[in-house]
Amino acid sequence: MEHDHARPARRRLLTGAAALAAAAALTPLTTAAASPAPRRRTARGESGYPPVQWVPASTANYTTADRPGQYPVEMVVVHVTQETYPDTLRLFQSPAHKAAAHYVVRSADGHIAQCVSERNVAWHAGNWDFNTRSIGIEHEGWIDDPTWFTDPLYERSARLTAAVCARYGIPLDREHIIGHVEVPGSDHTDPGEYWDWARYLQLVTEASWRYTG
């Protein structure tokens, strides 16, 4: 998620509804049924998932599905929130926002909220085809301030991405772990120039070795 709005004390916080309306425009507006905390399918490599807190997004912000049976899951899309962690969760819980990612990673300690079950199609990429085939991970911070990209954020996110890739057989490379900026038709630039892709992919690979080796 990227918005041209500022962090507290330096810029105004966004209101949320209009910033990602394009994602909804490119998404079939299927009404999602209310869902409890997601139940994961048992799959090889799932033991590598880090702890997550279930903070459900509004059912107006994703499409119910039965992935990977209905749609294959083939990539991970990395986002930067351009928002604080709590405000991002509030936006995802607002029916007016029309967008949400599967996960949000907090900057200070790497704490992870899961907002949409992986079986469902989160509206995070602004491209319906990419939404159906991806897991979206938001990272608290701003693209022009690398101090938000802390060690705990990188490490916990990398463990999550490694677990997702193991679960669905996604290759650990930049063709399958991409930034929001790389989604066709997207006008977003996150995660931005300060996101350390070399470090992140190394951490993903190391996390994968730890629980699959």
Side-chain angles (χ1 to χ4, degrees), residues 7 21 27 29 34 52-53 62-63 77 82 88 93-94 119 131-132 138 155 158 173-174 178-179 190:
R7 60 181 66 86
T27 307
L29 297 180
V52 300
Q53 177 186 2
Y62 62 87
T63 298
V77 179
Q82 296 291 99
T88 298
Q93 292 172 329
S94 168
R119 69 176 178 267
N131 283 342
T132 64
E138 288 278 3
E155 291 163 5
D173 60 39
R174 286 285 286 113
I178 67 172
D190 58 311

Side-chain angles (χ1 to χ4, degrees), residues 1 22 29 31 39 84 109 112 140 146 161 164 169-170 203 210:
M1 181 168 74
L29 297 180
T31 301
R39 292 173 296 176
T84 65
D109 56 5
I112 300 172
E140 182 186 23
T161 292
V164 168
I170 300 171
L203 288 169
R210 279 199 297 271

Side-chain angles (χ1 to χ4, degrees), residues 84-99:
T84 65
Y85 175 87
D87 283 339
T88 298
L89 298 182
R90 280 194 285 271
L91 289 174
F92 288 176
Q93 292 172 329
S94 168
H97 190 54
K98 303 302 181 187

